């Protein structure tokens, strides 16, 4: 359950950015979370409510874009999606260790007012 | 009623506040990652191999280090061990002749780079400098999920899977196994007793960590430990 400390990092980064912009409220926070990042979006939502309370981000909408893990198959010279992190190419059955995306833990944007 | 002039007209809807988008694209773990990069530089400058040892609780991390202590020069090996509470593991490792410092994380389910920096500080107070070490092992908090997200500046990430846990753990906890450079199947001496299917375990590891080297070890019988020492020496 490291989602709480991750959301604390989101809060600190978001508040600092909002302050620098002179914003009075943060109305939405957008994150990109890879399916191989080891993070549970529902736990992030729960932590979000807790850590934003009493700040200018209280009540902000949390938008989470889940990035499905994608590997590159050398044999097929094509990418393949793998939500569960299975590196086995569904086309040719060979293993791929080249991860193209899926470990993202990113604060993409804020909506400010 | 209108609040502005009490004219009796219905109150107007408040105007929605105009909002604006602020793109950021920052890594949530940027603070940890920056500190880990600093640690990695220190480790490389000192010429020490640093292992981040990860597994679920009870899969044999401490026992493995106790067994390594009997086979390696203990003056070249130090351990930073993380647990939620107690210094039991550090005391076990010290009893095995190793220099070990305990980091208690309280509620945190994983080690972060600043905690490793604190561990280095504690080692320094015991008169241990990085330069005199060949191998520094960071024994992470027992947990197959959260520690995988945190770079500690290590040169090698080693994930343990014990025979008593079942062969399909790598498929259930793919993210942490995917990050492994080396996977150890521990307690291999118990494989037969617990009906452990070796082929299924190797197949499961290959599916989520095809790049990782895999070794079977037993802290009790000593099986695979020489191969492990070779792998760590690289």
């Amino acid at each position: 359950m490291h989602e709480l400390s991750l959301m604390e990092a989101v809060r600190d980064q978001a508040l600092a950015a909002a302050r620098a912009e002179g914003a009075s409220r943060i109305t939405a926070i957008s994150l990109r979370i890879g399916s191989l990042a080891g993070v549970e979006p529902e736990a992030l939502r729960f932590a979000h409510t807790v850590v934003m309370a009493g700040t200018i981000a209280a009540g902000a909408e949390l938008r989470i874009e889940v990035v499905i893990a994608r590997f590159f198959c050398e044999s097929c010279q094509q990418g393949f999606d793998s939500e569960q992190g299975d590196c086995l190419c569904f086309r040719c059955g060979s293993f791929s260790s080249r991860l193209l995306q899926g470990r993202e833990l990113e604060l993409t944007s804020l909506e400010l007012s | 009623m209108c609040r502005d002039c009490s004219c009796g007209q219905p109150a107007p809807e408040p105007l929605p506040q105009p909002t604006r988008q602020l793109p950021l694209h920052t890594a949530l773990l940027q603070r940890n990652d920056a500190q880990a990069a600093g640690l990695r530089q220190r480790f490389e400058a000192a010429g020490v191999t640093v292992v981040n040892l990860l597994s679920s609780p009870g899969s044999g991390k401490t026992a493995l280090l106790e067994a390594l202590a009997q086979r390696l020069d203990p003056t070249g090996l130090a351990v930073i061990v993380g647990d939620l509470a107690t210094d039991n593991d550090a005391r076990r490792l010290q009893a095995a002749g190793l220099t070990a410092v305990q980091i208690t994380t309280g509620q945190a389910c994983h080690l972060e780079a600043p905690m490793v920096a604190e561990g280095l500080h504690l080692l320094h107070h015991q008169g241990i400098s990085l330069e005199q070490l060949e191998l520094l092992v960071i024994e992470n908090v027992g947990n197959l999920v959260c520690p995988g997200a945190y770079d500690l500046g290590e040169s090698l990430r080693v994930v343990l899977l014990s025979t008593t846990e079942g062969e399909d753990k790598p498929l259930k906890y793919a993210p942490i196994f995917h990050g492994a450079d080396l996977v150890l199947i521990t307690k291999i001496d118990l494989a037969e007793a617990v009906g452990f299917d070796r082929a299924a375990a190797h197949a499961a590891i290959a599916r989520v960590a095809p790049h990782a080297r895999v070794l079977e070890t037993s802290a009790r019988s000593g099986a695979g430990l020489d191969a492990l020492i070779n792998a760590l020496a690289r």
Side-chain angles (χ1 to χ4, degrees), chain A residues 25-106:
Chain A
R25 288 213 73 75
I26 299 173
T27 51
I29 297 175
S30 299
L31 307 178
R32 265 163 67 84
I33 304 295
S35 65
L36 274 185
V39 169
E40 181 54 54
E42 280 317 302
L44 285 179
R45 292 191 186 284
F46 176 76
H48 171 71
T49 315
V50 177
V51 306
M52 301 304 171
T55 74
I56 61 165
E61 185 189 344
L62 181 64
R63 299 169 185 158
I64 299 178
E65 179 195 348
V66 174
V67 182
I68 302 292
R70 187 166 181 78
F71 293 91
F72 185 78
C73 176
E74 298 290 345
S75 316
C76 303
Q77 286 292 301
Q78 282 188 66
F80 62 92
D81 289 347
S82 167
E83 193 165 358
Q84 307 285 333
D86 190 334
C87 309
L88 203 63
C89 173
F90 68 89
R91 293 188 200 90
C92 71
S94 63
F95 292 118
S96 163
S97 50
R98 232 180 101 189
L99 185 69
L100 299 175
Q101 60 176 42
R103 294 196 83 99
E104 292 79 357
L105 280 174
E106 187 187 271

Side-chain angles (χ1 to χ4, degrees), chain B residues 166-179:
Chain B
E167 305 83 2
D168 60 350
K169 274 288 183 302
L171 301 176
K172 291 177 176 167
Y173 296 88
I176 205 158
F177 282 91
H178 181 79

